[in-house]
Amino acid sequence: MAIVADVYCPHLKVATALVGRLVMKIGFGYRVFLAMAFSVAGVMAAGAQSGAAGEPGNPLDADSASTAQVATAEVTTADVTTARVPAATSAADVPAASVPVDNGARPGDSHVRIVRLSDVKGTLSLDRKTGNGFEQTMPNMPIIQGDRLRTADGYAEVEFEDNSTLRVAPNSLVEFPLLALRSSGAKASTIEVVRGMVYVNLQGTKGNEFVVRAGDETMTVSPSTHMRMTVEAGKTVVSVFNGNVEVKHGAETTLLTKKESLTLGGEQVAVTKKIEEEPYDAWDKEANDYHARYSQANAMVAGGATYGLSDLNYYGNFINGGAFGSFWQPYLVGAGWNPYCNGVWAMYPGAGYSWVSPYPWGWLPYHSGTWSFFPGYGWGWQPGGAFNGLNNIASVGGGAAGLVGTGVHSPVRAASPQAPALGAGSLVLANNTPMVFSKEDKPGNFVFQKNSAGLGVPRGSLGSLNKISTHVEQHGSANMPVYAAAPSAGFMASSRGGNGGPVTLRAGAPIQSGNTSYASASRAGSNGGSSASSPASHSLGASSASGGPSGSGGSSGSSGHGGSSK
């Protein structure tokens, strides 16, 4: 394949016309990112009624006194279009700042930790303490101490440094009063559940501290514990699937163990040796299975903060580049793809702008290591160096191989993005090239597009991407039969009207006939890139979607990667 020399962004600028086009054609699984993009371009400003821009009114706020604020859009200089869309804030969502609360901090703690908003489905919003209240958010948005996350009809997953996860079901509000690094090196996390349902899965928290609070109750979660908590109508229910949770309520302490539930309501304290099944359990289980399958540490990525490994292993592969050494590259890219041509700058008070990538794997490669352009392969990422938190703007260096430390390096020209000037806005969209999405072009037919780099591909549900990427490299695109369905809820949960969680695309055809969930999936139309009906399109059978984790472990070839000379 010919080497494309001009694979860099001369500079990043806002493409408001592109954003306007994307509103009509949204890639499946990335509605939140695009909705936020409209907000940033000012398109959705007039539609904001409550919560973040574009977020429908939260039904749990209906009985709360609220103050409507007028959404306004501010357009600055020619190259930067920003928006500030204040949220209409419910009284129930405003913390009682006048009442000091012990968040568990200790002398000597460091509060520079960031955790990752690792998965986003539907509508949700994040209060990053910018002064704008709740704002639209997207995958890979950093969460810092003091932030608040609110779901409307959305689902969220938050990933911690040790690969532990917090999942937040719809119509929930959670706060992060403590994200600290103890002087001992232990990480301390405290989550306040104001309302709704959350799942906590601690995969490997040896030596770390994890506390969940609800009002006056405090739950200390032991390592290797999987639990669910619901807070609604003055009642708190804690259910332990595995592990142990110590619940402190008033002067009493109760130890919950595997398959036990505790109900707290007023003076009522009841422990049962049974866990009631809930509709969202299926969504939580499916996400846990994904991480269990793809989170194995790669020999190329060792030590330090390695959260994001599941997505790194699913959406890409390490390549042996010969004289260039080994490097990671996402599937579904060619030599003309650039890792910094699309993204968002998010303002964090006291830290400045942080680069947020829209790609589902876009966490670890943008907070550590080195991006380099490798002749014959295209852009690739090499791990190494320190982990960068909010200050993840890449530095510029030279050379294309044997580099460690954070930076973007190219033998031709650097692709390093330039942050906007302070005060440009809370969220600043940066697009230099049209965003390419893999998506359905019609119900039941998913098209994997070259240079989408996984954008629009649901995680895990379409099977291994390795062979698919090879087809895309050879033909420009590839088709797969799919159907849309929610995770399978248990019988009891289904009987209570639950659907198991968010609808996602799955490979093949539905097991039962009469599937009518196509309407919940993405619609026809291209979000950039070649047409799905192009003659270059190549069809894949459903069997191509089978298989386990692909591409981890430093393969000797570049299977499935554009620009390869192999």
Side-chain angles (χ1 to χ4, degrees):
M1 181 177 291
I3 300 174
V4 179
D6 192 11
V7 295
Y8 40 81
C9 299
H11 69 282
L12 290 168
K13 58 185 178 180
V14 176
T16 54
L18 167 66
V19 174
R21 292 196 298 270
L22 290 180
V23 70
M24 301 301 295
K25 303 169 182 178
I26 298 176
F28 187 83
Y30 277 83
R31 297 188 182 96
V32 171
F33 172 70
L34 296 180
M36 184 203 62
F38 298 142
S39 173
V40 173
V43 177
M44 295 181 65
Q49 296 179 356
S50 69
E55 176 181 335
N58 193 319
L60 297 181
D61 292 342
D63 296 329
S64 302
S66 61
T67 57
Q69 297 179 342
V70 179
T72 60
E74 298 178 358
V75 179
T76 61
T77 56
D79 278 348
V80 180
T81 303
T82 66
R84 297 180 180 179
V85 187
T89 304
S90 163
D93 290 345
V94 179
S98 59
V99 181
V101 177
D102 181 8
N103 67 353
R106 300 174 187 172
D109 283 353
S110 170
H111 301 278
V112 297
R113 285 179 58 202
I114 65 172
V115 297
R116 175 198 183 202
L117 185 56
S118 52
D119 194 28
V120 171
K121 293 180 174 67
T123 304
L124 57 151
S125 53
L126 183 68
D127 182 354
R128 305 190 325 277
K129 302 184 297 184
T130 62
N132 294 331
F134 286 98
E135 299 176 278
Q136 197 81 292
T137 189
M138 61 182 283
N140 297 314
M141 188 72 72
I143 294 176
I144 64 174
Q145 179 173 300
D147 284 0
R148 300 186 294 156
L149 178 64
R150 183 172 69 182
T151 59
D153 63 349
Y155 301 75
E157 179 187 87
V158 178
E159 192 175 10
F160 297 79
E161 298 96 320
D162 55 13
N163 301 122
S164 298
T165 53
L166 168 75
R167 293 189 189 93
V168 187
N171 298 320
S172 301
L173 173 63
V174 299
E175 302 175 354
F176 297 82
L178 180 70
L179 292 173
L181 181 65
R182 303 292 194 199
S183 57
S184 64
K187 298 176 179 65
S189 305
T190 299
I191 311 301
E192 179 82 27
V193 182
V194 179
R195 63 164 184 259
M197 179 183 292
V198 301
Y199 295 83
V200 174
N201 193 11
L202 306 188
Q203 296 289 343
T205 57
K206 183 179 180 180
N208 294 333
E209 307 168 23
F210 203 100
V211 173
V212 183
R213 300 192 317 204
D216 295 331
E217 289 96 29
T218 300
M219 279 60 68
T220 302
V221 187
S222 299
S224 301
T225 293
H226 181 203
M227 63 164 283
R228 179 187 71 211
M229 187 168 78
T230 304
V231 179
E232 59 181 6
K235 182 174 71 173
T236 299
V237 180
V238 182
S239 301
V240 180
F241 301 109
N242 284 294
N244 301 282
V245 177
E246 184 181 84
V247 182
K248 184 177 180 181
H249 43 99
E252 297 183 23
T253 299
T254 303
L255 180 64
L256 292 179
T257 59
K258 184 177 180 179
K259 297 191 182 301
E260 288 187 336
S261 289
L262 172 67
T263 300
L264 300 168
E267 300 298 323
Q268 177 189 9
V269 179
V271 177
T272 60
K273 300 290 184 179
K274 179 182 179 182
I275 297 178
E276 293 291 336
E277 190 177 1
E278 293 288 348
Y280 300 132
D281 291 356
W283 161 62
D284 174 64
K285 180 182 184 303
E286 190 170 87
N288 284 335
D289 291 345
Y290 169 81
H291 285 293
R293 193 173 187 182
Y294 293 101
S295 64
Q296 294 86 356
N298 193 291
M300 296 295 298
V301 185
T306 56
Y307 47 148
L309 272 177
S310 298
D311 298 323
L312 206 68
N313 288 333
Y314 181 69
Y315 287 99
N317 188 17
F318 275 94
I319 299 170
N320 185 344
F324 299 127
S326 294
F327 56 90
W328 180 89
Q329 193 176 63
Y331 292 129
L332 307 174
V333 297
W337 174 81
N338 185 296
Y340 280 99
C341 274
N342 300 106
V344 166
W345 292 104
M347 166 57 67
Y348 284 83
Y353 284 100
S354 186
W355 176 263
V356 185
S357 169
Y359 297 107
W361 48 264
W363 180 257
L364 195 58
Y366 293 92
H367 289 278
S368 65
T370 304
W371 280 104
S372 302
F373 181 77
F374 299 93
Y377 297 93
W379 287 94
W381 173 74
Q382 293 177 312
F387 183 85
N388 290 306
L390 296 176
N391 298 312
N392 61 338
I393 303 173
S395 59
V396 178
L403 300 171
V404 295
T406 301
V408 175
H409 306 278
S410 169
V412 184
R413 193 182 301 180
S416 179
Q418 299 298 316
L422 292 177
S426 175
L427 295 168
V428 181
L429 180 66
N431 277 330
N432 187 69
T433 59
M435 296 183 68
V436 181
F437 286 85
S438 293
K439 56 184 284 294
E440 278 186 303
D441 66 333
K442 60 184 177 181
N445 185 63
F446 190 86
V447 182
F448 295 91
Q449 294 281 13
K450 188 174 182 179
N451 288 334
S452 66
L455 195 62
V457 179
R459 65 180 195 180
S461 64
L462 298 186
S464 172
L465 302 181
N466 195 313
K467 292 182 180 179
I468 295 170
S469 189
T470 300
H471 280 285
V472 171
E473 179 182 356
Q474 296 171 352
H475 301 277
S477 63
N479 299 330
M480 174 184 287
V482 295
Y483 67 100
S488 178
F491 173 77
M492 292 184 64
S494 297
S495 66
R496 293 200 295 271
N499 64 1
V503 170
T504 192
L505 292 178
R506 304 176 190 280
I511 297 175
Q512 296 180 348
S513 61
N515 184 281
T516 59
S517 56
Y518 288 127
S520 299
S522 60
R523 301 293 69 180
S526 172
N527 287 320
S530 61
S531 169
S533 59
S534 166
S537 178
H538 190 79
S539 179
L540 295 173
S543 60
S544 299
S546 61
S550 59
S552 59
S555 67
S556 59
S558 60
S559 175
H561 291 79
S564 170
S565 59
K566 290 181 172 51

